[in-house]
Amino acid sequence: MRPIDTRWIREDEPLQQAADALVAGQVVAFPTETVYGLGADALNEDAVRAIYTAKGRPSDNPLIVHIYPGFDLKRVVAEIPPQAKDLMDAFWPGPLTLIFPKNPSVPYATTGGLETVGIRMPSHPRAMELLRLADIPVAAPSANRSGRPSPTTAAHVWEDMQGRIAAIVDGGPCSVGLESTIVDLTGSVPLLLRPGGITLEMLEAVVGTVEVEPSVAKGLAIAEDEHPKAPGMKYRHYAPKGAMVLLRGTDRAKTAYVSAHLGDVAGKTGILGSHEWILALQQSMDLSGFDLEDLGSRTEPEIMSRRLFDALRRFDTSGCTHIFGEALQEDGLYMAMMNRMRRAAAGTIIDVNETPED
Ligand code: TXA
Ligand code: MG
């Protein structure tokens, strides 16, 4: 594609121009509380196709449609199940996407050919203001180039999208840092398609039993022929360029494992860090001298999730070839982090308690 002039809209600048660009069918990146989105008019097929071109991804992947408080949901969905009302009351605006039967007004270009549509009402004040000014439903995938971690700052978006889209609205670092929770309400029991900032426990407290799509627990990319419920999941996402493994075991066993692998390298070359990195939790491992990307304290998952994608991006910019991460527990917000980390590691988890050496 021919490069275009991308406008950076600072945090203190008004949003009318960005809203006008959306109404005119252009692509504008904007902040949400989860990750930055790459937005365009959800009801305009050409505008939606321009998103796929900017992202460099196949056009059969359905997009989430973003609305603001007060927007008439019936403009985009065909039917509102009772459970949806309860979940919307509890968690909108916020990091929860709900799948509904689509209204005929929503083109198949937006839904990836599906009869359903994913809707989300972001809580980020800049997102709400932009959507209200534009007064159109805005289709937006995460604003990364295909195959890169989702962007959690405007600078991340600039790295990936500069020259490819009309504007980037800066709204500071994202407070959640992981993409929204997705729940499908078109079956008899709510189905969790993607874990995120609204946890399984929070959902079940409102609507009772929620089933979990099997691929979520596995965290693996779904084979192309499996027809996953969330079609986007068949693409390998969030993966840094370096080979990543997750270590499960006591802090001591993890330290021993990493030291055994990296001590050799450090001993031989006297330097370490440009090729091998460790994605660790604050003070969990005794690894002074090694290059650590610190996710923070194990007891503060909100901070960990905010940092995760930024860390994955830094692995790429540092050109590292091997990444050792720590496996986490699988409940609450940790479930969402483990889902992203398993994918980044292509499913490789090593139980270091059983195999202290190689
Ligand atoms: O937090 C988020 O959800 C961010 C921000 C920008 O809102 N957006 C986001 O979009 O993560 P994207 O395109 O990167 O991921 C959307 C996911 C994909 O896995 C897609 O398959 C799924 O949502 N999805 C969208 N519409 C769907 C539908 N009708 N049925 C099933 N899955 C759907
Ligand atoms: Mg994405």
Side-chain angles (χ1 to χ4, degrees), residues 55 57 141-144 150 179 194 237-238:
K55 234 179 125 70
R57 98 173 175 190
S142 49
N144 52 290
S150 294
E179 305 86 348
R194 181 173 73 182
H237 269 173
Y238 321 119

Side-chain angles (χ1 to χ4, degrees), residues 7 58 137 159 204 248 271 325 356:
R7 242 197 102 209
E159 274 169 27
E204 291 195 318
R248 175 173 282 144
I271 48 159

Side-chain angles (χ1 to χ4, degrees), residues 72-85 88 92 98-104 106 115-117 119 184-188:
D72 183 7
L73 191 55
K74 299 226 181 63
R75 279 167 67 186
V76 283
V77 311
E79 184 197 316
I80 304 172
Q83 284 168 323
K85 288 214 175 70
M88 293 186 293
W92 277 11
L98 299 174
I99 309 291
F100 296 89
K102 84 173 190 71
N103 185 294
V106 181
E115 291 301 335
T116 56
V117 61
I119 312 282
D184 185 349
L185 296 170
T186 61
S188 51

Side-chain angles (χ1 to χ4, degrees), residues 6-202:
T6 304
R7 242 197 102 209
W8 178 295
I9 299 172
R10 291 193 323 267
E11 282 190 75
D12 57 352
E13 282 185 275
L15 292 175
Q16 190 61 54
Q17 275 197 349
D20 292 345
L22 283 173
V23 172
Q26 293 183 310
V27 179
V28 173
F30 64 98
T32 82
E33 70 281 16
T34 60
V35 300
Y36 276 72
L38 199 57
D41 182 350
L43 306 184
N44 174 340
E45 279 188 48
D46 292 335
V48 168
R49 280 201 202 94
I51 297 177
Y52 292 118
T53 310
K55 234 179 125 70
R57 98 173 175 190
S59 61
D60 64 341
N61 203 353
L63 301 176
I64 293 171
V65 174
H66 297 68
I67 62 173
Y68 60 85
F71 183 92
D72 183 7
L73 191 55
K74 299 226 181 63
R75 279 167 67 186
V76 283
V77 311
E79 184 197 316
I80 304 172
Q83 284 168 323
K85 288 214 175 70
D86 296 339
L87 289 172
M88 293 186 293
D89 283 347
F91 303 118
W92 277 11
L96 175 67
T97 296
L98 299 174
I99 309 291
F100 296 89
K102 84 173 190 71
N103 185 294
S105 69
V106 181
Y108 290 114
T110 298
T111 67
L114 299 175
E115 291 301 335
T116 56
V117 61
I119 312 282
R120 165 160 137 67
M121 185 184 287
S123 64
H124 193 294
R126 295 281 271 175
M128 289 208 256
E129 194 190 340
L130 179 68
L131 293 165
R132 193 174 283 120
L133 285 171
D135 193 25
I136 49 172
V138 171
S142 49
N144 52 290
R145 289 282 290 278
S146 196
R148 304 256 289 150
S150 294
T152 52
T153 66
H156 291 163
V157 182
W158 187 259
E159 274 169 27
D160 283 15
M161 290 297 161
Q162 184 257 327
R164 305 176 72 88
I165 59 175
I168 297 173
V169 174
D170 189 354
C174 301
S175 60
V176 178
L178 300 173
E179 305 86 348
S180 61
T181 303
I182 305 181
V183 177
D184 185 349
L185 296 170
T186 61
S188 51
V189 179
L191 180 65
L192 178 70
L193 299 183
R194 181 173 73 182
I198 303 297
T199 66
L200 182 61
E201 293 83 353
M202 290 161 77

